[in-house]
Amino acid sequence: MSLIYRQPLGFAWSIPGTVLLGPSLQHLSFPEVVGAFFTSGVRILALGAAGVVRKAMALVPIPLVMAMVAAVFLNFGTDIVASTQDNPAVAAPMVAAFLALTAIPRFGRLLPPVLGTLVAGCIAVAARGQFKLLPGGPLLATPVFTAPEFTWAAQLELVVPLAISVLFVQNGQGIAVLRAAGHQPPVNAFAMASGAFSC
């Protein structure tokens, strides 16, 4: 997609989808959730192919999209405080690394703040002895095929919220950032690819 449209386009089910997934797994089975994700992908693909997404995105003000993004990420921001209280030896160096790399742009260009935070966290965890590789087990997880199960409970609970979060939160945020950088993102093709890659 990036090569075809000559602009940075990335596709993945993002944090909004994960946020919806967690509570659902407390009362739905994993195959039911997979079925809802599959249906959401088909619905998003169909909406993009019908040309509806561009019209709908034009009606939604960008500040509203950004407010939805902020609401999704609010817990992650407030969790920093709790993490710093729970495990300051790991969280504090991560926060310090992020702030330092953000405050000094010269360093931030050499090592992006998020990557620097990850490195600081890995070093802190290793230094505290909290990372232990158990002997005898596999290093990588083995992929497991899960056949989707389509139930009304899962479809009614997840399909519409997932489609909205992908189209307006995930894609909406990306479209807003691309437009701010001077690109003209292909909104309907963006939606079609998100749906197709999810199926």
Side-chain angles (χ1 to χ4, degrees):
M1 291 292 289
S2 295
L3 289 173
I4 293 169
Y5 290 99
R6 301 290 184 189
Q7 50 190 298
L9 300 174
F11 299 90
W13 281 75
S14 63
I15 291 173
T18 306
V19 169
L20 289 169
L21 177 65
S24 297
L25 284 173
Q26 294 176 5
H27 58 275
L28 296 173
S29 69
F30 190 65
E32 287 177 301
V33 172
V34 170
F37 268 61
F38 183 80
T39 304
S40 296
V42 170
R43 176 162 291 180
I44 292 165
L45 173 62
L47 290 171
V52 175
V53 178
R54 176 182 268 274
K55 294 174 186 172
M57 289 294 291
L59 297 174
V60 179
I62 294 299
L64 181 61
V65 173
M66 291 308 182
M68 290 191 296
V69 172
V72 168
F73 288 109
L74 181 63
N75 285 344
F76 294 97
T78 57
D79 283 348
I80 292 171
V81 176
S83 297
T84 306
Q85 291 172 340
D86 293 341
N87 196 347
V90 173
M94 294 175 71
V95 171
F98 182 81
L99 293 176
L101 292 169
T102 303
I104 306 169
R106 186 172 37 139
F107 293 148
R109 280 192 292 276
L110 295 172
L111 182 64
V114 173
L115 183 58
T117 303
L118 175 65
V119 170
C122 290
I123 292 170
V125 167
R128 298 257 311 155
Q130 294 177 338
F131 178 76
K132 293 185 177 102
L133 192 60
L134 298 175
L139 186 61
L140 299 174
T142 304
V144 177
F145 176 77
T146 302
E149 186 178 320
F150 300 95
T151 62
W152 282 109
Q155 299 292 312
L156 292 173
E157 179 179 340
L158 290 173
V159 171
V160 172
L162 280 170
I164 289 171
S165 70
V166 169
L167 292 173
F168 291 101
V169 178
Q170 174 185 303
N171 289 6
Q173 179 185 7
I175 288 165
V177 169
L178 287 169
R179 285 182 177 158
H183 295 288
Q184 293 300 320
V187 178
N188 287 324
F190 208 69
M192 289 171 63
S194 293
F197 295 160
S198 301
C199 295

